[in-house]
Amino acid sequence: MSGPKVVRIVTKQEVMAICRGRIDAVQDAIAQWRKYASNHDALNSEEEKTVEKRLLSIVKMFEREQFLDVQKQCTAEIAALQAEMSRIRDEAIAKAELERSMRRRLQYSAETLIKTFEASQRQIPKELSNIASTAITANETDLATMNSTLSRILIEYTLNSIENQDMTPLQKELSKKLSEGEKLQTLADWKMRQEVDVKAIETDRRLDRLLAEIEAIEGESAQPFFTRATLIAQELSSSRRSLLTDSLILDLVAHSNERKTKELAIASMREMRSELHRLTSQPAKDLEVMLTKAIDSNDISSGKLLRDKGVALLKEETKAMAGVSRREAILKGLSELGYEVRENMATAWAEDGRIVVRKPNEKGYGVELGAVEDAERMQVQLVSFEQANDASKVSRDLDRETIWCAEFSRLKSLLEKSGTALHIEKALPVGSKPLKQVQESSTIPGRERRSKDSAPKRKMHD
């Protein structure tokens, strides 16, 4: 089947460029993972060595020209690194949430003791009030001190009770827990079994989860939210404290959403930077520098504009490079089959949209190649330079088409050996259509080409 046909070309150079871009993306993901893990004290030399080995394995696949495996492995590696960063983040948030839960329990314990002191009309220790108002934002050192202080106050209160039978039910419960060696942290559970505002406790839990998230992800930059939480805890009016807590939660949710939006924008810019890295033009290098500056400064204000420029630049330059490599691949293959290919033919083909090649010692026939823009799809057909329409001409045309059928199979094989894939999308059988007749001068690049059917320039047809 070697009548007129439309073929799709994917050259080795194109696939290599794609693979290089994916490897660049993996290297960027590794740098991101390394920095993230280091910031959370979760980086160790063994994991680094393992990741570097996996990268080296991908590079070796590339060197062995296992391009499909390279693309699959790059995708898997990036996903694995992203999953690892998510794991580190989740563990950091869980740890921060647990620590905040311990602080909240300490606060509840202090508040419970304050109510106990008030019920028995005893003076409330200043230290106890301080614990209730500052425990939620205390550091580890202060937290340990507060635990010791609370234990001391509880013991003193219990020992100062005159007799066990004179104790209130609340005092008996506290004394029992102390004698059994129950940890103070479980006093929160004890308090929750009392008549408490369940809604307030749920609100506190939600606040703690949000504070734990921002603490684990943003560190010191989240300090303004912690300061607000401290001031809220010091508020004497329960209704005002509830109102301020709700307001802080809303601000934290908005801040979290804003951070996630920024993370997505930064990730998009990083992806674009990796794609641009394989381009060699100055505009591509300049845009890569601008993206790096925006990424390093966490500035997403120009992110969409930079990305749109990158998409347009990638499309333009990739199309141009692909067109060159595809035309050169086809012409090289035809040259190996004995067709005359001159140095300027690829340029002439790109400019005119069509070109005809022929064998030096063969008269009457040539091969016309037609392609538009990036030459992803090409029209390939045998053409005749002779005008005769007699029976002998038809017979010769049929014989020459049969020869071209074998040559096309060889061309396809040569291209595949060099790493270029040629896919036939549409083809007509030998002899199913009369050969297109063109002027023999159309084999000379730069001259005006005219066919008898007046086919418009740069338009592919059957």
Side-chain angles (χ1 to χ4, degrees):
M1 184 176 291
S2 195
K5 58 180 60 62
V6 176
V7 298
R8 183 165 57 87
I9 307 293
V10 181
T11 66
K12 179 180 178 180
Q13 289 78 5
E14 292 176 70
V15 178
M16 289 177 69
I18 292 171
C19 289
R20 288 193 188 99
R22 299 305 295 159
I23 291 174
D24 286 341
V26 170
Q27 291 175 322
D28 183 68
I30 290 174
Q32 216 178 345
W33 163 77
R34 185 180 284 114
K35 180 180 179 181
Y36 195 84
S38 179
N39 289 342
H40 288 86
D41 296 323
L43 185 66
N44 62 66
S45 58
E46 288 302 317
E47 287 180 344
E48 282 192 283
K49 289 178 182 177
T50 300
V51 170
E52 290 297 334
K53 283 181 180 178
R54 294 204 297 263
L55 174 61
L56 181 60
S57 174
I58 292 174
V59 173
K60 287 183 177 178
M61 287 181 190
F62 179 80
E63 292 171 349
R64 293 193 296 266
E65 299 187 357
Q66 297 172 268
F67 300 131
L68 185 59
D69 291 337
V70 168
Q71 293 177 61
K72 289 180 178 179
Q73 194 58 39
C74 283
T75 299
E77 185 61 26
I78 291 172
L81 290 167
Q82 290 174 340
E84 179 63 13
M85 285 190 286
S86 294
R87 182 192 66 79
I88 293 172
R89 172 181 290 195
D90 291 344
E91 288 184 357
I93 292 174
K95 180 182 177 183
E97 189 173 353
L98 177 61
E99 291 175 352
R100 300 202 70 79
S101 176
M102 294 172 63
R103 292 181 178 89
R104 186 66 73 180
R105 288 175 181 175
L106 185 60
Q107 177 193 7
Y108 286 162
S109 298
E111 289 174 348
T112 300
L113 277 175
I114 288 173
K115 288 183 179 180
T116 303
F117 273 79
E118 289 174 342
S120 60
Q121 298 183 339
R122 296 182 59 177
Q123 183 178 359
I124 300 172
K126 185 177 180 180
E127 296 167 306
L128 194 57
S129 298
N130 184 59
I131 291 173
S133 62
T134 62
I136 197 63
T137 55
N139 58 39
E140 291 185 10
T141 302
D142 292 341
L143 199 63
T145 301
M146 289 178 179
N147 266 307
S148 299
T149 301
L150 189 62
S151 295
R152 175 177 56 78
I153 293 173
L154 181 57
I155 291 172
E156 289 174 355
Y157 172 77
T158 304
L159 294 178
N160 285 338
S161 296
I162 300 175
E163 297 211 21
N164 191 57
Q165 60 267 27
D166 295 329
M167 290 182 181
T168 65
L170 183 58
Q171 291 171 334
K172 291 179 181 179
E173 182 71 14
L174 289 171
S175 177
K176 179 182 178 183
K177 289 178 180 295
L178 182 64
S179 64
E180 292 175 353
E182 187 169 344
K183 294 182 180 180
L184 285 174
Q185 282 79 356
T186 61
L187 286 174
D189 297 330
W190 170 80
K191 179 178 183 294
M192 290 180 65
R193 288 196 296 269
Q194 314 307 310
E195 294 181 1
V196 295
D197 188 343
V198 176
K199 182 180 178 181
I201 290 178
E202 270 309 308
T203 300
D204 286 341
R205 284 178 176 172
R206 188 181 182 198
L207 175 61
D208 288 343
R209 282 194 294 269
L210 290 168
L211 287 171
E213 178 183 327
I214 195 173
E215 179 183 8
I217 296 173
E218 300 185 34
E220 292 299 321
S221 63
Q223 189 57 46
F225 293 104
F226 301 148
T227 301
R228 286 177 62 183
T230 301
L231 294 174
I232 291 172
Q234 294 172 354
E235 180 61 50
L236 297 178
S237 169
S238 60
S239 60
R240 179 166 171 75
R241 181 165 57 182
S242 175
L243 185 65
L244 292 173
T245 299
D246 289 341
S247 176
L248 178 55
I249 287 175
L250 288 174
D251 288 346
L252 282 166
V253 169
H255 182 83
S256 176
N257 291 337
E258 183 180 344
R259 185 189 65 249
K260 290 172 183 176
T261 298
K262 181 176 286 189
E263 287 174 349
L264 288 173
I266 293 294
S268 179
M269 286 193 287
R270 296 183 78 98
E271 182 181 356
M272 177 54 63
R273 185 177 63 176
S274 294
E275 291 292 326
L276 288 171
H277 191 65
R278 58 190 170 96
L279 303 183
T280 58
S281 71
Q282 192 57 48
K285 296 302 177 186
D286 292 342
L287 187 54
E288 191 177 342
V289 169
M290 286 189 282
L291 281 165
T292 298
K293 184 178 180 181
I295 291 168
D296 292 345
S297 61
N298 268 330
D299 179 14
I300 66 170
S301 60
S302 58
K304 186 179 185 304
L305 177 62
L306 292 175
R307 195 177 188 285
D308 288 346
K309 285 184 177 180
V311 169
L313 196 59
L314 275 170
K315 184 178 180 180
E316 179 185 348
E317 295 198 18
T318 300
K319 181 181 289 186
M321 290 189 296
V324 170
S325 65
R326 289 164 183 165
R327 289 182 176 92
E328 288 180 346
I330 290 291
L331 290 174
K332 183 181 178 182
L334 288 170
S335 176
E336 292 181 27
L337 291 177
Y339 285 84
E340 184 178 10
V341 176
R342 300 185 184 92
E343 185 177 349
N344 60 343
M345 277 187 169
T347 302
W349 183 6
E351 292 176 351
D352 297 345
R354 290 183 180 277
I355 198 170
V356 177
V357 295
R358 53 169 293 178
K359 290 186 176 181
N361 299 321
E362 183 178 50
K363 295 182 179 181
Y365 300 96
V367 174
E368 184 183 64
L369 306 169
V372 295
E373 299 182 10
D374 58 358
E376 182 180 6
R377 286 172 175 78
M378 298 182 185
Q379 185 187 66
V380 183
Q381 63 181 330
L382 187 70
V383 295
S384 172
F385 304 137
E386 299 176 352
Q387 305 297 317
N389 292 313
D390 55 26
S392 61
K393 173 67 167 57
V394 173
S395 178
R396 289 198 307 275
D397 288 353
L398 187 61
D399 291 341
R400 187 61 186 83
E401 274 198 279
T402 303
I403 295 172
W404 167 237
C405 181
E407 288 182 334
F408 183 83
S409 296
R410 288 178 58 199
L411 174 63
K412 188 173 185 296
S413 178
L414 286 171
L415 291 174
E416 289 174 349
K417 285 181 180 178
S418 68
T420 295
L422 188 152
H423 307 283
I424 301 175
E425 294 191 342
K426 186 176 182 180
L428 298 178
V430 172
S432 63
K433 181 180 179 180
L435 291 187
K436 177 182 176 181
Q437 295 180 4
V438 301
Q439 294 179 4
E440 191 168 358
S441 59
S442 63
T443 61
I444 303 175
R447 289 190 182 180
E448 183 180 8
R449 293 154 179 79
R450 297 182 184 274
S451 64
K452 283 192 174 182
D453 56 2
S454 300
K457 187 185 291 187
R458 295 184 178 273
K459 183 176 181 181
M460 292 166 54
H461 59 84
D462 293 336

